[in-house]
């Protein structure tokens, strides 16, 4: 675990070194791994991580199905509802299907439409790591949607270096520190040798220079 004071110092330095802009910049961290063979699928990281304070942009969520899951999705204000007919239609519209796959961060689907999803949308969602989480009829998805809005997906594929947005420059240093700590803790826990396999961590704003954390 990285000491909190070290994280806060790095975040403050990254903000101070960032040139003034007329827009709100993102704050991102880059994590570099070591002593790990990313060619082996078992070593890759694929985690959905809840950020205590969100990252400044609520995740966009799609709900696929019909019936009660649609009612719950509308109650929770999800960004799009995709019914069974629409799933099949998108399968014949590859450009639109790609747009949907890229635009929405998380997908939830009732179990009854998963075969349709696999057939028609699987080729678009699968490679992006966005295949829907199957939802059974007795599950209330509203609390799940609340969590997902403040979550980020960390997916390394075959690369030892990856970046994650932890917030924006208008967020407090404490909130950004909490978010960074949440990500580092989960990444460490997912590695066989924990922190020993983290080579370095950097934090930067959109336009600013990278500042080393560890």
């Amino acid at each position: 675990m990285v000491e909190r004071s070290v994280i806060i110092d790095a975040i403050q330095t990254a903000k101070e070194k960032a040139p003034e802009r007329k827009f709100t910049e993102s704050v991102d961290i880059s994590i570099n791994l070591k002593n790990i063979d990313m060619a082996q699928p078992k070593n890759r990281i694929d985690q959905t991580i809840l950020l205590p304070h969100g990252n400044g942009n609520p995740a966009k969520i799609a709900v696929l199905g019909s019936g009660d899951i649609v009612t719950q999705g509308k109650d929770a204000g999800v960004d799009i509802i995709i019914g069974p007919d629409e799933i099949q239609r998108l399968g014949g519209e590859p450009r639109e299907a790609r747009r949907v796959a890229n635009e929405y961060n998380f997908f939830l689907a009732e179990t009854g439409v998963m075969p349709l999803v696999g057939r028609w949308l699987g080729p678009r969602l699968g490679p992006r790591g966005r295949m829907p989480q199957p939802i059974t009829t007795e599950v209330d998805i509203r609390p799940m949607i609340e969590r997902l809005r403040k979550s980020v997906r960390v997916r390394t594929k075959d690369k030892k270096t990856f970046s994650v947005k932890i917030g924006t420059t208008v967020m407090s240093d404490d909130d950004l520190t909490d978010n960074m700590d949440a990500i580092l803790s989960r990444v460490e826990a997912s590695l066989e040798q924990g922190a020993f396999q983290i080579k370095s961590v950097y934090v930067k704003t959109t336009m600013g220079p990278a500042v080393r954390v560890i």
Side-chain angles (χ1 to χ4, degrees):
M1 291 288 291
V2 185
E3 290 186 11
R4 186 176 183 85
S5 60
V6 172
I7 296 177
I8 288 180
D9 285 347
I11 287 172
Q12 290 175 340
T13 301
K15 283 184 175 182
E16 290 167 1
K17 289 187 175 183
E20 286 191 22
R21 299 291 173 179
K22 293 182 179 180
F23 61 91
T24 299
E25 296 184 59
S26 296
V27 179
D28 306 287
I29 60 171
S30 293
I31 300 175
N32 305 296
L33 304 179
K34 64 180 181 180
N35 302 327
I36 187 169
D37 181 6
M38 302 304 285
Q40 298 295 322
K42 67 176 183 178
N43 292 331
R44 298 174 188 173
I45 298 171
D46 190 352
Q47 300 273 345
T48 297
I49 303 175
L50 173 65
L51 301 182
H53 309 286
N55 70 3
N57 294 107
K60 300 185 72 172
I61 301 168
V63 166
L64 296 80
S66 58
D68 191 47
I69 194 173
V70 171
T71 302
Q72 292 182 30
K74 289 180 178 177
D75 286 347
V78 295
D79 300 277
I80 190 173
I81 302 289
I82 303 176
D85 291 343
E86 183 69 359
I87 292 171
Q88 187 168 344
R89 187 191 71 79
L90 286 170
E93 300 288 345
R95 180 176 297 179
E96 188 176 352
R98 281 196 298 272
R99 180 190 63 76
V100 170
N102 289 327
E103 183 174 350
Y104 299 95
N105 305 104
F106 298 104
F107 292 76
L108 303 175
E110 65 175 337
T111 53
V113 300
M114 284 301 292
L116 280 177
V117 173
R119 178 181 179 183
W120 297 109
L121 295 180
R124 310 301 171 197
L125 298 176
R128 294 167 174 80
R130 290 181 176 173
M131 284 298 288
Q133 179 175 340
I135 304 296
T136 55
T137 54
E138 69 274 9
V139 173
D140 185 349
I141 66 170
R142 285 166 287 205
M144 189 181 305
I145 290 169
E146 286 186 28
R147 292 194 299 273
L148 287 175
R149 287 206 184 281
K150 297 173 66 175
S151 299
V152 293
R153 185 79 176 271
V154 175
R155 188 166 179 254
T156 58
K157 296 185 180 180
D158 58 349
K159 306 297 183 183
K160 291 183 181 180
T161 298
F162 57 97
S163 298
V164 187
K165 179 181 174 181
I166 63 168
T168 67
T169 50
V170 298
M171 294 173 64
S172 72
D173 297 340
D174 281 329
D175 286 356
L176 290 169
T177 297
D178 289 341
N179 286 349
M180 189 191 298
D181 186 62
I183 292 172
L184 293 178
S185 296
R186 282 288 293 276
V187 169
E188 285 183 18
S190 69
L191 298 171
E192 187 176 350
Q193 299 175 43
F196 293 105
Q197 287 177 288
I198 297 179
K199 180 179 181 181
S200 59
V201 177
Y202 290 83
V203 61
K204 70 182 296 295
T205 66
T206 304
M207 305 300 291
V211 175
R212 187 161 185 161
V213 183
I214 55 174

